[in-house]
Amino acid sequence: MKSKIQQALETVFGYKEFRLEQEKVINRVLDGKDSLVIMPTGGGKSLCYQIPAIVSQGLTIVVSPLIALMNDQVAALKELGVEADTLNSSVGQAELGEIYQKMRNGELKLLYVSPERLMAGDFLNYLANFNISLFAIDEAHCVSVWGNDFRPEYIQLKALKDSFAHVPIVALTATADSTTQSDILKQLGLDEAEIFLSSFERKNISVEARSGLKRIEQIIEFVKQEKDQAGIIYCLSRKSCESVAAKLKAKGINASYYHAGMNGEDRSRIQRNFQNDEVQIICATIAFGMGIDKPNIRWVIHYNMPKNIEGYYQEIGRAGRDGDPAKAMLFSSWGDFINLKKFIDEGEAEDTFKKVQRAKLDRMWQYASAVNCRTNFVLNYFGEYRAEGCGHCDNCINPPKIFDGSTYAKMAISGVIRAKQSLSSTLLIDLLRGSARSELINRGLDRLKTFGVGRDVPLAHWNHYLTQMINQGVLHLDFSDYSRLKTTPLSERVLYENLEVSLSEFEGFKKAKPPKIEKLPVDISSMDQDLFQRLKTWRNNLAKEKNVPAYVILSNKSLQYIAAELPSNEQQLLEINGIGQKKLESFGKEILALVSGG
Ligand code: ADP
Ligand code: ZN
């Protein structure tokens, strides 16, 4: 006999198997015990509380800080035939009345609320009148100042354990190092919680990092290879969101931008258009994506380096939620590093906090310039220690070739010495390459002996080598003096003691190879393309009619499976991943008609 949770997985969600720690978490919740779930983005955290909610008597309260995400999850649940609703500022008075009525009638299974709503007035007292089966606290890292997105309103959630001692709590997050994990337990009063840590590795995402030279050209080339695939380009400033989008548009690419400086209406319109595959690419600040639950984002590019590994990994995690191959590409430069450092230095935060932020930024930079497995870098950062290469990052796929770069190091160091330690890295490269730039000529730098000694080495290569020299301490980037390059004790050893400097070769802007991932349960390479397009049109129209994101009706993946398997009756349709009982009832006839050519 199938367990009732397996049954819910199949009939409600249309999935065959649990993923990662899902089943263990669900069983613990049903045992009435507390848990902390750490699972990467796209891992499937929602099911950990949705299935207990569905199979239990009573009401599950889901605390989430993101209104857009709450609305989408509720829409998705309703589409699955599950009674769910949300209380947040986007809900009108009339609707509120209906929701309370449903609660009183015991019809509601899940109620999504923002933390401030939950703790406001005497709402908790009101909830005490109901049979509450579970509290799920999403984005639980927000409760800790050690995390990367602290929200003071989360602190009050400790009251839940005090007021509802008998109700289990499940806290969930995609980002928490071990310090943050213990702090979450402490802040929420979860003394007896079990921690479920799933691997942070996202096997379907191939990761790559490149130097930030000529980013736009590199991006345009990349996007052309990706044809119609949906992607996000994260930029540091609002201005660059707009300018990058404009440059892509000028090349005929379907791109828009999104940032916090736009009005709410424009933002939701762009977000919807992206979710419904009408806009292919969004150039956005990190304000975008938190509330995005689009399973078929195929790539994420960081136009600028993010400020810490937590943010970076969450952002790339928005790609490939459907489990199909996806790509993440990081651009970085010393310019990015210096800008981010300035933000921290000039910020209002306390000194101890600034210290943490600086250390996190340093780690981010080390990641961007790493020559070893990048996935392991992140796993180790989050305390999941592993030495074997991942096989889906640029350094694993194409290991850097190391050579004796002492000659280049000597050129660079002499340049720095002869120019009396007054050069930025750009100016040093120009000097070495014998550039005719007026700043060099005006300052008489063209008369130095090192002028032009490195002209055979292209700019991008110099950039790559110089970064490594700085990282190795052979030169020092002096932030206290306009980021000029200075010599170090190691520079002397290179010049006078022949200390060898190993550098990795510049490999050019190589194409990211697709990662090796487990075979899909269905071979979609031979699917009926026409049928897929017809299914997509049908679904998109329906989504528009119902005013929900397209994937809430059916994911692209389910449509692809249909176009490959060509189900001819309801039983076969139920076999399709993502089609459960309710979706069969709602759409079965229409889909079968489309398949049979109707
Ligand atoms: P998270 O909140 O951890 O980022 P979600 O809960 O949004 O991830 O799940 C990501 C996607 O994976 C969703 O489309 C979800 O329906 C799907 N999913 C979750 N669990 C399973 C499963 N066991 N089998 C197939 N798909 C699943
Ligand atoms: Zn690797």
Side-chain angles (χ1 to χ4, degrees), residues 350-538:
E350 277 175 40
D351 273 348
T352 43
F353 194 54
K354 283 186 175 177
K355 238 189 197 155
V356 176
Q357 288 180 310
R358 279 192 208 106
K360 290 193 176 198
L361 175 61
D362 284 340
R363 297 286 281 155
M364 186 65 224
W365 177 255
Q366 287 161 12
Y367 173 88
S369 31
V371 290
N372 298 314
C373 177
R374 284 188 218 275
T375 306
N376 283 355
F377 190 111
V378 175
L379 297 187
N380 296 337
Y381 182 84
F382 287 118
E384 185 187 336
Y385 298 101
R386 188 177 74 174
E388 296 71 32
C390 74
H392 55 92
C393 77
D394 50 355
N395 288 336
C396 281
I397 294 170
N398 208 342
K401 299 187 185 70
I402 307 296
F403 69 101
D404 177 0
S406 304
T407 315
Y408 293 149
K410 283 178 183 164
M411 288 179 186
I413 295 166
S414 341
V416 169
I417 294 176
R418 285 177 200 274
K420 304 203 167 50
Q421 325 255 348
S422 70
L423 301 177
S424 67
S425 48
T426 332
L427 211 52
L428 174 66
I429 295 176
D430 287 340
L431 171 77
L432 297 172
R433 300 196 66 237
S435 141
R437 191 170 154 185
S438 58
E439 194 178 346
L440 284 175
I441 318 280
N442 295 343
R443 285 172 61 179
L445 295 169
D446 56 333
R447 293 195 298 276
L448 297 183
K449 249 184 114 177
T450 30
F451 184 77
V453 287
R455 67 162 45 88
D456 296 340
V457 182
L459 174 72
H461 296 221
W462 266 122
N463 206 49
H464 182 67
Y465 300 151
L466 217 50
T467 297
Q468 296 177 62
M469 291 178 207
I470 298 167
N471 287 343
Q472 292 177 26
V474 168
L475 283 170
H476 171 64
L477 194 61
D478 188 355
F479 296 114
S480 64
D481 183 24
Y482 305 101
S483 302
R484 289 177 173 135
L485 290 170
K486 303 287 167 67
T487 51
T488 72
L490 290 183
S491 322
E492 313 271 318
R493 291 184 54 198
V494 173
L495 283 189
Y496 307 118
E497 295 169 26
N498 286 322
L499 173 71
E500 190 180 310
V501 180
S502 299
L503 298 178
S504 76
E505 269 178 28
F506 181 82
E507 299 254 6
F509 302 133
K510 53 199 178 215
K511 287 179 197 161
K513 283 184 204 151
K516 282 188 221 110
I517 57 162
E518 294 118 59
K519 235 176 99 307
L520 291 174
V522 176
D523 177 14
I524 57 165
S525 59
S526 58
M527 73 173 171
D528 180 340
Q529 284 290 347
D530 279 351
L531 175 58
F532 176 57
Q533 289 308 330
R534 273 185 280 134
L535 287 164
K536 234 167 117 173
T537 311
W538 162 78

Side-chain angles (χ1 to χ4, degrees), residues 137-379:
I137 302 177
D138 211 0
E139 313 287 348
H141 59 281
C142 295
V143 76
S144 170
V145 288
W146 300 108
N148 62 324
D149 189 19
F150 173 58
R151 292 170 189 247
E153 62 275 16
Y154 258 70
I155 288 284
Q156 296 179 40
L157 294 175
K158 186 162 194 179
L160 293 180
K161 200 73 235 175
D162 301 333
S163 316
F164 295 84
H166 56 287
V167 178
I169 292 183
V170 57
L172 312 101
T173 171
T175 164
D177 56 17
S178 54
T179 319
T180 312
Q181 289 168 26
S182 350
D183 200 34
I184 294 174
L185 298 182
K186 191 171 134 213
Q187 298 302 334
L188 294 175
L190 305 181
D191 303 333
E192 319 221 310
E194 184 172 341
I195 300 183
F196 295 90
L197 182 68
S198 296
S199 175
F200 267 62
E201 180 170 21
R202 290 288 306 275
K203 290 201 171 93
N204 62 325
I205 303 182
S206 67
V207 286
E208 181 171 0
R210 293 181 180 182
S211 132
L213 281 175
K214 299 197 182 213
R215 303 172 202 222
I216 286 289
E217 287 83 344
Q218 297 192 61
I219 289 174
I220 289 172
E221 194 192 323
F222 176 89
V223 168
K224 281 189 178 150
Q225 285 163 13
E226 294 295 305
K227 285 200 195 76
D228 297 326
Q229 307 286 19
I232 306 177
I233 302 177
Y234 283 112
C235 308
L236 212 51
S237 70
R238 296 172 185 184
K239 224 174 79 196
S240 51
C241 294
E242 297 186 12
S243 73
V244 173
K247 284 172 190 158
L248 295 182
K249 268 191 185 157
K251 293 274 170 193
I253 296 165
N254 178 4
S256 279
Y257 60 86
Y258 179 108
H259 56 65
M262 298 157 63
N263 68 45
E265 211 171 291
D266 283 346
R267 275 187 297 173
S268 7
R269 181 174 43 83
I270 303 263
Q271 183 162 328
R272 286 284 171 230
N273 288 347
F274 181 60
Q275 255 162 341
N276 296 338
D277 292 322
E278 280 162 33
V279 168
Q280 183 200 348
I281 297 169
I282 300 284
C283 305
T285 55
I286 52 170
F288 183 73
M290 296 264 267
I292 285 277
D293 190 5
K294 182 177 164 64
N296 66 332
I297 298 174
R298 292 271 67 83
W299 52 266
V300 168
I301 289 180
H302 282 88
Y303 185 78
N304 300 103
M305 188 175 80
K307 58 180 192 250
N308 54 43
I309 301 274
E310 285 94 334
Y312 165 75
Y313 207 58
Q314 261 198 322
E315 283 141 31
I316 70 167
R318 293 182 184 133
R321 272 168 171 255
D322 54 11
D324 285 353
K327 292 175 187 165
M329 169 109 71
L330 166 70
F331 289 107
S332 63
S333 69
W334 280 107
D336 292 343
F337 182 84
I338 291 163
N339 276 337
L340 290 165
K341 198 161 175 323
K342 252 198 229 145
F343 282 153
I344 300 174
D345 292 344
E346 292 166 5
E348 307 270 289
E350 277 175 40
D351 273 348
T352 43
F353 194 54
K354 283 186 175 177
K355 238 189 197 155
V356 176
Q357 288 180 310
R358 279 192 208 106
K360 290 193 176 198
L361 175 61
D362 284 340
R363 297 286 281 155
M364 186 65 224
W365 177 255
Q366 287 161 12
Y367 173 88
S369 31
V371 290
N372 298 314
C373 177
R374 284 188 218 275
T375 306
N376 283 355
F377 190 111
V378 175
L379 297 187

Side-chain angles (χ1 to χ4, degrees), residues 9 15 17-19 22 40-47 293 321:
L9 180 74
Y15 300 144
E17 281 163 22
F18 285 108
R19 276 190 194 154
Q22 279 175 338
T41 314
K45 281 182 288 299
S46 333
L47 243 57
D293 190 5
R321 272 168 171 255

